[in-house]
Amino acid sequence: MGANSKLAPPQIWSGKIYTGQWQSPNGGTHPILDKAGGEEIGRIGFASAADVAHAAGIASAAQKEWAKLPAPARGEALRRFAAAFLDHVDEIAQWLIRETASSRLKGRWEAQLASKVVMEGAMLTSQPSGVILPTWEAGRQSFAMRIPVGVVAVITPWNSPLTLACRAIAPALAMGNAVLLKPDPQTPVSGGVVLAALAQAAGLPEGLLHILPGGVETGEALVCEPRVDMVSFTGSTRAGRRVGALAGEHGKRVSLELGGNNAYVVLPDADVTAAAAAGAWGSFFHQGQICTTTGRHIVHVSIADAYTSELAARANKLRMGDPFRSDVDLGPLINEKQAVNVERVVKESVAAGARVLTGGSRDGLYYPPTILTNVRPGMPAFDEEIFGPVAPIVTFETDEEAVALANSTHYGLVSSVVSPDLARAGRIADQLHAGMVHVNDQTVVHEVYGPVGGVGASGNGWNYGTTVNADQFTEWQWRTVRTAVPKYPF
């Protein structure tokens, strides 16, 4: 990796942004850090508002030509793009490990999943692009057709930067749009540089995909840029609300997939061993730094002790360390700010009456898998999205109480219910206020097919997924055709 990179040699992109070609930015440069070791492993360019405007002009022109291509031709280009991921899985995974502190398992999984996401996006180009409509008038044809939105700004977070970018980029391109991508400044290579290199390798038209790293100023410039027609944002609720407000001021479509405080309801007839194993994965995978992480384990009082014991046994077996230099289950948290916040949540919850069963104290950026018992509403561990490897356990006695606890949040991303009684689990699932609900699984479930998104503070409904992506990244145009102008009474 690094200077020996075959896919993205640093000498090509170091200190630059990508607008069809690598160029020096007006916004300066920013260091890229190895999250475990702390050393600088590169520098990336930051796009200024002027850079954003320049890129938008190029993208607007490229989009018009791209949209003229037959849809199957766009699909072939995207299939080459998808195949290129699989040619470079190891290198991509190494960047994910160093920039995001992903485990080796997660790094390779994400690199391979991104290829599938792009491939499914390509499939949209072989689907019908319109419908024939009924009409009252003889001699008139009436139909609705999909047309591209235009230029789409995609703003992505650092936790799964590759797949979260691809799930917007692929369908946007498939439907005839151009993309301006702003990766998070903490993960500009795995979330941006890699995609530019793969697009070049696949022969995508120059100017169609732009990589514009930067901070808040860059993001706001993208949202406000007149030639940007739509904004796709994945990230925190706080930042998403700002993006939504700015997009609304400028009359733009916006897709928001935001945070979550996700409930995992374990009913009394559940297989405790299996439920605890799934719950451990839901709370501790990728250090709990996923929007769909299991944030609250809502467990029936009759099995709470057994469940807690099983969960603790699994937490205590997890290996923590530098994922780049050793094969571990958990790496460090993304930065000091996040580590301090996780520490605060645990300490304030303990002060309010929660009890630490295992974990509970950090060593720099390393925070061990932590289990909190005696948790109740009003504590930070119950009320907040923690974004760390913390499993708060709450008990209930009745199904009605379980539903009330699960819905006691302004978030609404994902919830899960565990029980062999599918009828009972289904009744509870029907009452959960969430964009996604899983029965007999944990909350971190990701596929490229189903609609992904939340309600309430978790976003504005469905956002991504094969079944809905065509609607997300196109406009409907109603068109009628007559052979001659009819006679009117005026």
Side-chain angles (χ1 to χ4, degrees), residues 53-67 150-151 176 178-180 207-208 210 225-229:
H54 176 68
I58 296 172
S60 182
Q63 184 272 325
K64 292 177 176 61
E65 295 304 311
W66 175 247
V151 176
V179 173
L180 306 181
L208 195 62
H210 300 250
E225 164 58 42
R227 284 167 291 197
V228 167
D229 302 288

Side-chain angles (χ1 to χ4, degrees), residues 344-369:
R344 174 195 63 80
V345 168
V346 171
K347 286 184 175 180
E348 289 182 3
S349 298
V350 169
R355 185 169 69 90
V356 175
L357 181 63
T358 186
S361 61
R362 71 182 177 107
D363 179 10
L365 298 183
Y366 290 94
Y367 204 97

Side-chain angles (χ1 to χ4, degrees), residues 405-420:
L405 287 167
N407 289 340
S408 292
T409 175
H410 59 292
Y411 293 103
L413 189 58
V414 56
S415 291
S416 294
V417 186
V418 180
S419 171

Side-chain angles (χ1 to χ4, degrees), residues 201-226:
L204 287 181
E206 188 175 300
L208 195 62
L209 173 65
H210 300 250
I211 311 299
L212 305 171
V216 173
E217 296 81 5
T218 307
E220 294 198 352
L222 278 167
V223 178
C224 298
E225 164 58 42

Side-chain angles (χ1 to χ4, degrees), residues 222-353:
L222 278 167
V223 178
C224 298
E225 164 58 42
R227 284 167 291 197
V228 167
D229 302 288
M230 173 186 171
V231 181
S232 170
F233 175 87
T234 303
S236 72
T237 296
R238 179 185 58 80
R241 284 172 171 161
R242 174 62 178 163
V243 168
L246 278 177
E249 288 178 15
H250 292 269
K252 297 181 182 181
R253 179 189 294 189
V254 61
S255 169
L256 302 174
E257 202 261 279
L258 309 178
N261 184 6
N262 310 301
Y264 181 61
V265 179
V266 185
L267 297 182
D269 54 0
D271 180 328
V272 171
T273 301
W281 179 269
S283 280
F284 304 138
F285 177 60
H286 196 34
Q287 297 82 263
Q289 298 175 125
I290 305 174
C291 59
T292 54
T293 286
T294 300
R296 293 167 297 146
H297 298 242
I298 300 173
V299 184
H300 193 270
V301 66
S302 66
I303 60 169
D305 288 346
Y307 179 87
T308 302
S309 178
E310 285 279 353
L311 188 64
R314 294 176 185 279
N316 290 331
K317 290 179 181 178
L318 295 175
R319 302 161 297 169
M320 188 167 60
D322 182 342
F324 181 62
R325 294 167 177 84
S326 57
D327 190 10
V328 297
D329 301 304
L330 278 74
L333 295 174
I334 190 69
N335 55 36
E336 179 69 12
K337 179 181 178 182
Q338 185 57 28
V340 167
N341 187 61
V342 174
E343 185 176 49
R344 174 195 63 80
V345 168
V346 171
K347 286 184 175 180
E348 289 182 3
S349 298
V350 169

